[in-house]
């Protein structure tokens, strides 16, 4: 393969050419209720070429037939030539790397039979079905190993093995007209050794769904809000992470003004970063899809904006350094600026300290999901508790946090010292590329005041 | 390749079917008003389903040769549960337009010209304009061991535009997209420009949000949160699993008597239209809700077999997964006849589709944040607005930020205060604006 890539690069008439080839073996098992929905093994093979002719735009070609590689290299060059630009596209320098970067497969999933994978998931699904009140479940197991080649005309030549496993469960509890759900999700850049011992998580999700049948809807309003580790992680990803992606600002002066380095975004307790090289996490890889090594990139330091996430193009445009955040979900797509493992760093206090002096507040736990539209965000907790007189009180449901991110970041007033990485599956969507494996990490955080929807008072 | 695969699979099991797709895509993108990148992609994939010893197995590949595809399908079937699956035999296909030669043959220059024109017409001071043009030509082949076969070409064109304006920490984004199997005509481009203009201009002024229980107009693009619970509940799968609130409600009037939803796979010129579904079942138009009464659920072959129902022709499949239930085009409106062609070229209507008259204090919702999160099936929704306008004394007075709307779809749709005259396609959905009363609006 390396020889084929070298020959194809050599044939290119463009000034810059890069090629990716990905060969993925994956298996997936799904249960719906007590029934197996499907158990499949798939093979996905394809390539991607991106070319740049001086003074022109990007020419891009993606394909499933590798016999077409030389033709697609030529086609990408032609497409680049078709885009005349006044202002040329520059690429910030990255030292060429020639390496085999083989991640630990941690129990190669390709050596495990489909029947064993089915048995594992059947057990987890059974944990959920055994909980009284649960009327339906879905449970999923997915694994893959990708053989990955990347080569560019500057001399970089990478060969990688990229493992991934995810487990997911949804328990639906129903009584009369009321339907509630509980979710469990695990996602790691590891292998078969990492998928055992998750029964408790599935059981807990199902118990929560059943418990929510009894729980009242949170009364809408503005409260002091404690976010648990998972919610705080999703919050920083959704509400801040996307704005720190430099493709959002690099072509827009007004957006750049909004995201000027040195601007205060929060109080001195707030430290935020993105760490693409943290071992074993879902967003972790040795190199991004432009051949740039991944790294730990500080974004907010003591409340002040100090960095952003870059591709080579956005880094060159803004006179900054590439951060290894140019990622593509597969050979079907070009790399764009994405997060990896985004985090809020540890604070000093205990979780009890954060809660202790709240008279009436909301404790938002475990995330169903989140979305940002520029400065507005919305994210949904799987469940919550009221906080009353410094103590965690009754379970409540339909906890939806919504707000303006600038205001809300600035209202993060206290941060606990119990940092942990989320190890959820799922993924991030942007520019038609979903799901990209990412994760988040955070300690518990306290927001001085946030709007909690749910039962919005009429 | 598909013939050999089906022949070999037929020899190994009781039956099999397969779907082969080949998609060629050309895309052109303009960033900040300038042409930035051009791309092509070619992807082919084969999805095989085998019935062996009464059990179903699935496998897929994008590789040029089938390789171990059949073995993987057989291994998948060995674990599968028994399904009384019956493959449809010969298929007589209805007529529908899915292919446009003009779209298939359009040159890169022709596609680029749409972007140049739109950038030119939409550019304005202090505002970033992005345009993305995509053209796909798709070959689909279906074959099963019961004798059904189908092959049809299709084209799909989309032209998406978005405008972004930053003023301090205020961000305004207005987005729209043309989609069709044909290239956009001058009237389609006019409609796109008009749609952006009529939402952008009044958004420049930011006004205080109202709050309380208010009349709210959901535009064709603002409907998502209202429709999503119904889409989930009308799936035969949700009914089979016992989680659909509509499961035992067929024949009952649950909604306003002017409210209908039709699934129409035969709407001419729509990218989601198809003469046959991905399991060889001929397409037909299916009323799901008619005049407020629940009529039909949608089924694929396997769900139908389990539920002792008949497939409604709603099996969709990708290269790697087993067929699942999917809608084609959803036509929503005050009548059951609101069909595709009526939407074409009607872009000049006013914001809110003429429903603002008589509203003293209310909201126009064009886009919401977080649709699909939370407990959708229950019908409850609560979302902050992404793009919304205040109505005061029958007129739009400006854009509203920092507001959220909430309600329950099953309650709200019992009475619909009005349908707009601005029905149009938004992707695979045709709908006019909709006026609902008593929607909770909260500000923060």
């Amino acid at each position: 393969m390396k020889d084929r890539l070298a020959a194809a690069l050599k044939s290119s008439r463009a000034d810059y050419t890069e090629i990716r080839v990905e060969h993925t073996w994956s298996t997936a098992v799904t249960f719906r209720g007590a029934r197996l929905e499907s158990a499949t093994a798939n093979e996905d093979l394809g390539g991607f070429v991106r070319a740049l002719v001086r003074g022109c735009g990007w020419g891009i070609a993606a394909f499933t037939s590798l016999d077409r590689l030389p033709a697609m290299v030529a086609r990408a060059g032609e497409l680049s030539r078709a885009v005349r630009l006044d202002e040329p596209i520059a690429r910030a320098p990255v030292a060429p790397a020639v390496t085999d970067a083989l991640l630990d497969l941690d129990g190669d999933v390709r050596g495990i039979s489909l029947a064993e994978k089915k048995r594992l998931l059947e057990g987890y699904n059974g944990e959920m079905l055994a909980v009284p009140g649960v009327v339906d479940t879905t449970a999923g197991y997915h694994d893959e190993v990708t053989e990955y080649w990347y080569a560019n005309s500057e001399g970089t030549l990478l060969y990688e093995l990229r493992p991934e496993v995810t487990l997911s469960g949804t328990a639906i509890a129903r009584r009369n007209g009321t339907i509630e759900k509980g979710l469990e999700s695990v996602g790691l850049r590891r292998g078969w050794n990492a998928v055992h011992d998750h029964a408790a998580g599935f059981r807990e999700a199902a118990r929560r769904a059943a418990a929510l049948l009894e729980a009242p809807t949170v009364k809408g309003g503005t409260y002091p809000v404690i976010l648990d580790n998972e919610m705080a992680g999703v919050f920083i990803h959704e509400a801040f992470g996307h704005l720190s992606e430099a493709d959002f600002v690099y072509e827009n002066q007004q957006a750049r003004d909004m995201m000027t380095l040195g601007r205060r975004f929060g109080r001195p307790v707030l430290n935020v970063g993105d760490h693409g090289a943290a071992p074993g996490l879902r967003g972790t890889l040795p190199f991004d899809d432009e051949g740039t090594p991944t790294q730990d990139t500080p974004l907010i330091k003591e409340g002040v904006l100090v960095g952003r996430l870059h591709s080579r193009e956005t880094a060159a445009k803004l006179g900054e350094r590439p951060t290894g955040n140019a990622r593509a979900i597969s050979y079907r797509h070009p790399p764009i600026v994405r997060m990896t493992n985004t985090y809020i760093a540890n604070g000093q206090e205990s979780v009890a300290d954060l809660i202790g002096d709240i008279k009436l507040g909301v404790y938002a736990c475990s995330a169903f999901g989140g979305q940002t539209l520029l400065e507005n965000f919305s994210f949904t907790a799987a469940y919550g508790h009221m906080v009353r007189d410094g103590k965690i009180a009754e379970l409540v449901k339909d906890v939806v946090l919504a707000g303006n991110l600038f205001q809300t970041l600035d209202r993060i007033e206290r941060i606990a010292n119990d940092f942990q990485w989320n190890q959820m599956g799922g993924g991030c969507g942007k520019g038609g590329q979903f799901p990209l494996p990412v994760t988040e990490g955070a300690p518990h955080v306290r927001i001085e005041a946030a709007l909690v929807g749910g039962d919005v008072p009429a | 390749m598909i013939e050999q695969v089906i022949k070999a699979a037929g020899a190994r099991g009781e039956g099999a079917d397969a779907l082969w797709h080949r998609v060629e895509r050309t895309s052109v993108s303009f960033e900040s008003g300038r042409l930035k990148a051009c791309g092509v992609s070619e992807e082919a994939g084969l999805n095989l389903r085998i019935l062996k010893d009464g059990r179903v197995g699935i496998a897929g590949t994008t590789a040029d040769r089938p390789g171990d595809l059949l073995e993987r399908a057989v291994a998948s079937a060995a674990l599968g549960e028994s399904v009384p699956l019956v493959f449809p035999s010969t298929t007589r296909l209805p007529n529908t337009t899915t292919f446009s030669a003009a779209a298939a043959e359009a040159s890169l220059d022709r596609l680029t010209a749409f972007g140049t024109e739109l950038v030119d017409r939409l550019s304005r001071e202090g505002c970033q304009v992005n345009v993305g043009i995509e053209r796909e030509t798709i070959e689909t082949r279906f074959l099963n061991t019961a004798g059904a076969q189908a092959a049809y070409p299709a084209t799909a064109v989309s032209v998406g535009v978005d405008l972004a304006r930053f003023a301090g920490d205020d961000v305004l984004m207005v987005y729209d997209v043309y989609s069709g199997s044909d290239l956009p005509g001058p009237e389609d481009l006019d409609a796109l420009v008009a749609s952006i203009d009529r939402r952008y201009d009044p958004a420049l002024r930011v006004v205080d949000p109202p709050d309380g229980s208010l009349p709210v107009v959901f535009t064709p693009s603002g409907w998502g949160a209202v429709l999503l619970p119904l889409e989930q509940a009308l799936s035969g799968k949700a009914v089979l699993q016992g989680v659909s609130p509509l499961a035992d409600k067929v024949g009952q009037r649950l909604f306003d008597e002017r409210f209908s939803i039709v699934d129409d796979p035969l709407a001419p010129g729509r990218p989601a239209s198809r003469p046959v579904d991905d399991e060889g079942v001929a397409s037909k138009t299916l009323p799901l809700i008619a005049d407020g009464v629940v009529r039909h659920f949608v089924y694929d072959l396997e769900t139908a077999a389990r539920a002792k129902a008949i497939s409604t022709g709603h099996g969709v499949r990708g290269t790697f997964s087993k067929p699942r239930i999917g809608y084609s085009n959803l036509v929503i409106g005050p009548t059951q006849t609101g069909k595709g062609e009526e939407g074409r070229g009607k872009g000049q209507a006013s914001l809110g589709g003429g429903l603002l008259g008589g509203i003293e204090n209310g909201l126009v919702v064009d886009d919401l944040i977080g649709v699909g999160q939370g407990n959708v099936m229950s019908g409850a929704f609560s979302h902050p607005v992404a793009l919304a306008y205040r109505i005061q004394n029958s007129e739009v007075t400006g854009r509203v930020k920092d507001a959220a709307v909430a309600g329950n779809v099953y309650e709200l749709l019992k009475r619909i205060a009005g349908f707009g005259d601005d029905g149009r396609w938004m992707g695979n959905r045709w709908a006019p604006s909709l006026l609902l009363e008593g929607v909770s609006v909260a500000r923060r």
Side-chain angles (χ1 to χ4, degrees):
Chain A
M1 182 61 73
K2 287 179 180 172
D3 295 341
R4 278 175 87 173
L5 296 181
L9 283 175
K10 216 167 167 187
S11 73
S12 177
R13 293 170 54 215
D15 295 282
Y16 173 79
T17 307
E18 65 182 9
I19 304 173
R20 277 186 281 138
V21 171
E22 297 170 17
H23 195 173
T24 300
W25 292 266
S26 63
T27 59
V29 183
T30 316
F31 277 87
R32 179 82 192 248
R35 212 186 60 231
L36 180 79
E37 184 86 6
S38 67
T40 56
N42 287 303
E43 181 181 0
D44 190 14
L45 173 62
F48 173 92
V49 179
R50 198 164 65 148
L52 194 57
V53 173
R54 196 165 294 117
C56 299
W58 289 110
I60 292 165
F63 46 96
T64 50
S65 177
L66 288 194
D67 297 345
R68 299 273 292 148
L69 176 60
M72 289 313 228
V73 167
R75 185 79 180 121
E78 287 162 22
L79 289 168
S80 173
R81 240 166 254 120
V83 181
R84 285 275 156 207
L85 291 181
D86 310 331
E87 190 187 347
I89 293 174
R91 283 161 291 113
V94 169
V98 177
T99 184
D100 288 356
L102 310 178
L103 289 177
D104 179 9
L105 295 185
D106 189 33
D108 189 341
V109 290
R110 292 172 296 182
I112 310 296
S113 74
L114 203 51
E116 263 185 272
K117 294 167 184 174
K118 179 197 168 191
R119 211 151 38 233
L120 175 88
L121 187 66
E122 197 164 22
Y124 293 152
N125 189 44
E127 294 287 346
M128 296 194 290
L129 284 167
V131 171
V134 169
V135 295
D136 190 18
T137 61
T138 55
Y141 168 91
H142 177 92
D143 67 34
E144 62 183 56
V145 172
T146 299
E147 231 185 327
Y148 174 99
W149 293 265
Y150 174 90
N152 70 28
S153 53
E154 294 172 348
T156 291
L157 179 56
L158 304 174
Y159 171 64
E160 299 181 25
L161 277 180
R162 298 175 164 186
E164 196 182 318
V165 286
T166 60
L167 290 165
S168 62
T170 305
I172 308 279
R174 181 176 187 183
R175 203 178 45 235
N176 303 325
T178 310
I179 297 167
E180 294 297 338
K181 67 178 179 185
L183 299 188
E184 168 65 355
S185 175
V186 178
L188 293 165
R189 203 167 278 294
R190 293 194 185 281
W192 182 245
N193 297 340
V195 298
H196 309 287
D197 306 322
H198 293 286
F202 282 86
R203 200 158 52 229
E204 187 49 41
R207 284 183 184 159
R208 194 177 310 121
L212 284 171
L213 290 172
E214 311 283 340
T217 295
V218 66
K219 189 172 179 309
T222 300
Y223 297 93
V225 173
I226 305 277
L227 305 180
D228 76 351
N229 307 76
E230 200 175 303
M231 275 296 269
V234 173
F235 171 78
I236 206 64
H237 171 102
E238 288 297 338
F240 173 75
H242 284 291
L243 281 186
S244 73
E245 294 164 344
D247 57 345
F248 163 67
V249 302
Y250 81 121
E251 297 243 353
N252 186 308
Q253 188 54 48
Q254 296 147 316
R256 266 153 92 166
D257 293 346
M258 190 167 104
M259 296 301 289
T260 304
L261 297 185
R263 174 178 171 169
R264 179 160 286 285
F265 263 83
R267 303 183 190 183
V269 291
L270 185 65
N271 291 286
V272 176
D274 181 86
H275 194 346
L281 299 174
R282 201 161 147 69
T284 300
L285 285 171
F287 293 89
D288 74 0
D289 293 313
E290 290 184 322
T292 305
T294 54
Q295 63 174 39
D296 185 3
T297 307
L299 299 173
I300 292 178
K301 207 167 173 184
E302 295 177 355
V304 173
L305 187 69
V306 295
R308 54 182 136 240
L309 306 178
H310 280 299
S311 64
R312 294 182 65 185
E313 182 181 351
T314 62
K317 178 95 182 187
L318 296 181
E320 295 168 15
R321 292 184 36 209
T323 55
N325 288 87
R327 306 181 62 193
I329 58 165
S330 77
Y331 65 84
R332 296 173 176 84
H333 298 274
I336 56 176
V337 181
R338 304 297 293 262
M339 284 174 264
T340 61
N341 310 299
T342 311
Y343 64 89
I344 299 177
N346 242 340
Q348 305 283 332
E349 302 183 81
S350 71
V351 177
D353 290 341
L354 260 57
I355 296 173
D357 59 346
I358 293 178
K359 192 153 171 39
L360 177 66
V362 171
Y363 180 32
C365 302
S366 188
F368 272 165
Q371 191 191 348
T372 324
L373 206 88
L374 301 167
E375 91 265 43
N376 288 302
F377 68 84
S378 162
F379 58 127
T380 306
Y383 63 100
H385 287 272
M386 297 309 295
V387 177
R388 298 185 190 278
D389 298 320
K391 297 212 167 52
I392 291 172
E394 77 274 16
L395 183 70
V396 289
K397 66 184 181 188
D398 298 337
V399 177
V400 180
L401 296 190
N404 173 291
L405 80 98
F406 297 105
Q407 283 170 9
T408 309
L409 276 174
D410 193 47
R411 287 176 185 163
I412 295 180
E413 52 175 356
R414 291 164 71 172
I415 297 182
N417 57 7
D418 64 333
F419 178 89
Q420 68 183 49
W421 288 110
N422 292 342
Q423 302 195 326
M424 295 186 291
C428 174
K430 176 180 170 184
Q433 297 194 43
F434 172 85
L436 183 78
V438 296
T439 196
E440 313 87 22
H444 276 73
V445 306
R446 174 163 141 184
I447 301 169
E448 190 177 13
L451 179 73
V452 178
D455 191 12
V456 178
Chain B
M1 170 157 100
I2 189 170
E3 288 85 359
Q4 293 96 302
V5 165
I6 282 296
K7 203 172 163 206
R12 285 292 289 278
E14 301 95 84
D17 69 355
L19 187 82
W20 178 83
H21 273 302
R22 186 168 189 285
V23 181
E24 262 190 63
R25 184 181 302 115
T26 304
S27 56
V28 178
S29 60
F30 288 75
E31 265 182 50
S32 297
R34 60 177 192 153
L35 180 61
K36 186 68 185 290
C38 290
V40 294
S41 80
E42 303 174 351
E43 171 161 0
L46 180 67
N47 179 270
L48 170 69
R49 171 166 58 184
I50 187 168
L51 187 66
K52 185 167 165 50
D53 304 328
R55 299 162 185 270
V56 168
I58 301 282
T61 186
T62 51
D64 290 338
R65 285 159 282 274
D68 63 352
L69 181 73
L70 178 56
E71 292 314 315
R72 286 190 276 119
V74 168
S76 168
L79 298 178
E81 298 201 355
S82 347
V83 190
L85 198 65
V86 179
F87 293 111
S89 49
T90 50
T91 314
R92 258 184 61 205
L93 301 186
N95 279 328
T96 180
T97 315
T98 55
F99 180 81
S100 151
E105 287 156 15
S107 65
L108 191 63
D109 285 347
R110 180 90 198 273
L111 298 175
T112 306
F114 292 123
T116 310
E117 177 183 342
L118 285 167
V119 164
D120 190 45
R121 291 177 69 179
L122 290 170
S123 286
R124 56 200 77 196
E125 188 63 30
C127 180
Q128 180 180 342
V129 181
N130 299 320
V131 181
I133 300 129
E134 209 168 87
R135 182 265 321 272
E136 289 181 348
T137 57
I138 305 139
E139 290 173 72
T140 301
R141 297 197 58 197
F142 173 85
L143 201 58
N144 71 17
T145 49
Q149 54 177 309
Y152 62 95
T155 47
V157 178
S158 74
V159 179
V161 295
D162 68 77
L163 271 67
R165 172 182 168 275
F166 297 77
D169 283 350
D170 175 47
V171 186
L172 168 64
M173 271 195 82
V174 180
Y175 173 83
D176 204 347
V177 63
Y178 160 87
S179 65
S181 59
D182 203 353
L183 298 171
E187 71 284 4
D188 298 308
L189 297 181
D190 289 349
L192 206 51
V193 170
S195 154
I196 296 286
D197 286 346
R198 70 168 172 268
R199 291 179 296 147
Y200 186 89
D201 297 338
L204 293 174
R205 183 165 170 237
V206 174
V207 297
D208 283 340
D211 71 351
S213 173
L214 296 175
V216 172
V217 176
F218 291 87
T219 67
S221 64
W223 263 84
V226 176
L227 195 64
L228 192 59
L230 301 183
E231 285 184 35
Q232 292 191 0
L234 289 166
S235 161
K237 187 112 188 191
V239 174
L240 177 67
Q241 296 299 132
V243 294
S244 169
L246 298 179
D248 48 357
K249 302 287 197 290
V250 171
Q252 293 185 29
R253 173 160 290 148
L254 296 190
F255 307 102
D256 187 291
E257 62 182 22
R258 290 172 300 166
F259 182 65
S260 297
I261 303 181
V262 179
D263 184 89
D264 186 6
L266 304 177
R270 299 307 307 168
S273 293
R274 57 199 186 210
V276 59
D277 78 350
D278 293 346
E279 298 183 305
V281 177
S283 292
K284 63 171 197 281
T285 299
L286 184 74
L288 307 177
I289 294 172
D291 303 327
V293 178
V294 180
R295 287 294 177 208
H296 290 283
F297 304 116
V298 293
Y299 287 96
D300 59 7
L301 281 181
E302 183 176 328
T303 313
R306 291 187 189 286
K308 302 192 168 43
I310 293 165
S311 169
T312 51
H314 289 87
V316 298
R317 69 210 282 187
T319 299
F320 298 119
S321 50
K322 77 181 227 178
R324 58 179 175 78
I325 292 173
Y327 295 99
S328 62
N329 300 295
L330 288 180
V331 178
I332 297 146
T335 68
Q336 296 169 56
T337 56
K339 283 288 182 66
E341 282 306 298
E342 292 176 27
R344 231 177 124 83
K346 276 197 188 173
Q348 313 300 331
S350 59
L351 182 58
L355 291 170
L356 275 45
I359 300 179
E360 239 172 78
N361 186 26
L363 210 59
V364 176
V365 168
D366 193 62
D367 194 10
L368 294 170
I369 299 176
V371 173
Q373 294 174 29
N375 190 0
V376 174
M377 188 72 86
S378 71
F381 66 92
S382 172
H383 301 291
V385 300
L387 184 58
Y389 306 83
R390 182 153 192 189
I391 309 169
Q392 285 169 297
N393 300 319
S394 310
E395 280 179 13
V396 166
T397 53
R399 173 166 52 115
V400 162
K401 303 173 63 173
D402 301 333
V405 296
N408 188 296
V409 167
Y410 289 104
E411 290 304 313
L412 291 170
L413 289 178
K414 279 180 186 162
R415 203 185 145 264
I416 293 171
F419 291 93
D421 59 9
D422 55 349
R424 57 164 291 186
W425 287 103
M426 285 294 308
N428 300 334
R429 182 168 90 223
W430 190 96
S433 286
L434 173 77
L435 172 59
L436 297 176
E437 283 175 345
V439 179
S440 292
V441 180
R443 64 176 164 223
R444 54 170 191 260

